[in-house]
Amino acid sequence: MAQRPLRILLVNRHMNIGGVETYLYRLCAGLGRRGHQVGLLTEGGLFEDKVKEAGARLHKVRNLAKDWPTLLPELVSCGYDVVHGHNYHSARVACALAKRLHKPYLMSVHGPRPRLKQLLFRDWSERVIVMSEGDRDNICWWGGVPPSRVTLSFYGIDTDRFHPGIPTDDLRAELELQGVPVIVFVSRFSNRKADVGHALLDALPTLRQQHTNLRLLLVGEGPEREGLETHLARTNEVCKTAAATMIGPRRDVERFMALATIAVCTANTALEAMACGVPTLAAGRTGFFGLVSSGNFEDARALCFADHGTSPREMSPTPFLEVIPDLLQRLPQAQKQALETATLVAERTSVTKMALEMEGLYRSLVPVPAA
């Protein structure tokens, strides 16, 4: 007998540009294609339209922590079977909401959290989802949750959007990048992730001594953008040309990844760049991992591509000064290896596989109706 479709309520504070937000609208789409009804409780943001495009229902509040009770009648009428909160702030609301709805509650962790703050957190779900072994290790201690309660999941990548061979001639012409090597740093400019951009800007004048036409593009947004723009201006003064350019937030980020000679990313964004068949350096808030290949993919994934856990090297200009010249020297070989990695990403991290896995977790929480 066929199982009935589920009604799933996701809870996440913001829907601005970011890895968690990308994950959520892809999850909405994947679950929707499997026949489930999905809702998202959020304060909204630039990506909220993506949620609607995915066929999910948007429940929007001005302040998630304070205003969620005002939507209780609406949420009750939707008949959701399970409430799934993402990260700590949203999980607090999801936990309280699930109790009010008398429905099962699930929490996903999307990044490390200081253990002192974990001690103050009391809204863990019985089953906790993590996106990497690094995240699992971060929460598995006496002040967090035992390993037996943790399930490892992954970020699904939309390979219809991110794939090798995306045309970029018009974008190269627009940015006057014809025939020049380009480093593209794609990230949310916040906290330690912005440190990657600063390290690249520090390294750029030295890199250009050997590769005089090398360009650096910074694609993203976040609270550290102003500091990066100031640093970028100083770097261009040193280089005596517009060697670095602030692109800002873009909805066509796949085109920037595709035009990259080398992409520098972390977490979900690193997987997107690899899916485009671009040599990708994993670098993020936990440091520098390096070039991801089919040979070290699992090691990089366990650290969420330098976003979780402890990366092999601290963030500084030094690893970029060591790795980038070598990559540019052997570029044809690196590009061939990148295409192999793209195939691996498509096989292991599809949105369909992600949605199927999450469906199984939801069904394990939802009581089976009596025959």
Side-chain angles (χ1 to χ4, degrees):
M1 184 175 66
Q3 294 178 299
R4 72 170 180 86
L6 296 173
R7 297 174 180 176
I8 302 147
L9 178 61
L10 306 174
V11 182
N12 194 61
R13 184 178 183 182
H14 299 302
M15 281 305 294
N16 297 314
I17 293 176
V20 178
E21 292 80 1
T22 301
Y23 166 80
L24 285 170
Y25 75 70
R26 287 177 184 159
L27 181 59
C28 289
L31 291 169
R33 286 195 292 267
R34 293 190 56 77
H36 304 296
Q37 298 178 39
V38 186
L40 175 66
L41 175 61
T42 182
E43 294 175 11
L46 189 61
F47 274 178
E48 64 182 70
D49 288 342
K50 295 280 191 180
V51 175
K52 297 176 184 176
E53 291 169 11
R57 179 169 179 172
L58 200 67
H59 303 282
K60 196 171 175 182
V61 290
R62 183 173 182 178
N63 183 297
L64 180 64
K66 295 180 180 179
D67 298 339
W68 67 267
T70 64
L71 290 186
L72 266 175
E74 177 181 312
L75 297 173
V76 169
S77 70
C78 290
Y80 289 113
D81 297 302
V82 62
V83 181
H84 184 181
H86 294 267
N87 270 342
Y88 296 86
H89 182 282
S90 303
R92 287 192 175 94
V93 171
C95 182
L97 175 57
K99 290 176 181 177
R100 293 287 293 271
L101 296 177
H102 305 288
K103 298 298 180 181
Y105 158 59
L106 185 66
M107 174 187 180
S108 282
V109 173
H110 293 273
R113 187 175 178 87
R115 288 188 166 177
L116 179 59
K117 289 187 176 182
Q118 287 185 40
L119 278 173
L120 302 174
F121 182 77
R122 289 292 178 268
D123 294 315
W124 303 105
S125 53
E126 182 60 30
R127 172 66 48 184
V128 179
I129 309 301
V130 298
M131 311 308 291
S132 71
E133 288 85 343
D135 261 355
R136 180 192 62 196
D137 295 344
N138 178 250
I139 67 171
C140 288
W141 65 298
W142 64 264
V145 294
S148 59
R149 288 172 51 190
V150 177
T151 294
L152 179 66
S153 188
F154 63 93
Y155 292 113
I157 300 302
D158 180 2
T159 51
D160 289 334
R161 179 183 173 193
F162 297 91
H163 57 84
I166 297 172
T168 61
D169 288 348
D170 57 339
L171 187 59
R172 281 188 170 273
E174 174 190 336
L175 299 173
E176 299 181 354
L177 298 172
Q178 298 97 324
V180 303
V182 184
I183 301 169
V184 178
F185 170 53
V186 185
S187 180
R188 176 161 170 75
F189 302 147
S190 61
N191 203 337
R192 288 166 289 169
K193 292 184 180 182
D195 292 345
V196 180
H198 288 297
L200 283 165
L201 288 166
D202 282 336
L204 188 58
T206 301
L207 290 170
R208 281 178 59 92
Q209 290 176 10
Q210 185 174 351
H211 300 276
T212 56
N213 56 356
L214 182 66
R215 295 281 299 277
L216 171 64
L217 306 182
L218 280 66
V219 183
E221 66 170 356
E224 302 299 321
R225 175 172 172 170
E226 183 177 347
L228 284 169
E229 288 179 328
T230 300
H231 192 170
L232 184 149
R234 292 200 309 267
T235 298
N236 284 342
E237 287 179 6
V238 172
C239 294
K240 296 183 173 57
T241 186
T245 304
M246 174 62 74
I247 300 297
R250 296 286 296 228
R251 287 177 175 248
D252 59 344
V253 68
E254 69 277 9
R255 297 171 70 216
F256 285 86
M257 291 171 172
L259 71 76
T261 309
I262 299 169
V264 180
C265 313
T266 188
N268 193 22
T269 310
L271 282 167
E272 293 171 346
M274 284 182 271
C276 291
V278 176
T280 301
L281 299 179
R285 59 180 162 181
T286 66
F288 181 90
F289 179 88
L291 181 67
V292 183
S293 67
S294 56
N296 66 9
F297 181 84
E298 283 302 313
D299 292 335
R301 183 203 54 75
L303 299 173
C304 201
F305 308 96
D307 196 53
H308 307 162
T310 303
S311 294
R313 304 185 66 174
E314 293 184 357
M315 183 50 56
S316 76
T318 302
F320 292 114
L321 291 171
E322 294 172 356
V323 173
I324 289 174
D326 176 67
L327 268 178
L328 293 174
Q329 187 69 29
R330 59 180 187 89
L331 193 56
Q333 178 188 358
Q335 290 171 332
K336 180 180 178 181
Q337 292 173 336
L339 290 173
E340 295 172 359
T341 308
T343 300
L344 185 66
V345 170
E347 290 173 350
R348 296 191 186 181
T349 63
S350 71
V351 172
T352 299
K353 285 185 177 180
M354 175 183 70
L356 181 60
E357 178 187 85
M358 292 307 304
E359 177 187 326
L361 288 167
Y362 295 141
R363 289 198 183 280
S364 72
L365 299 173
V366 177
V368 178

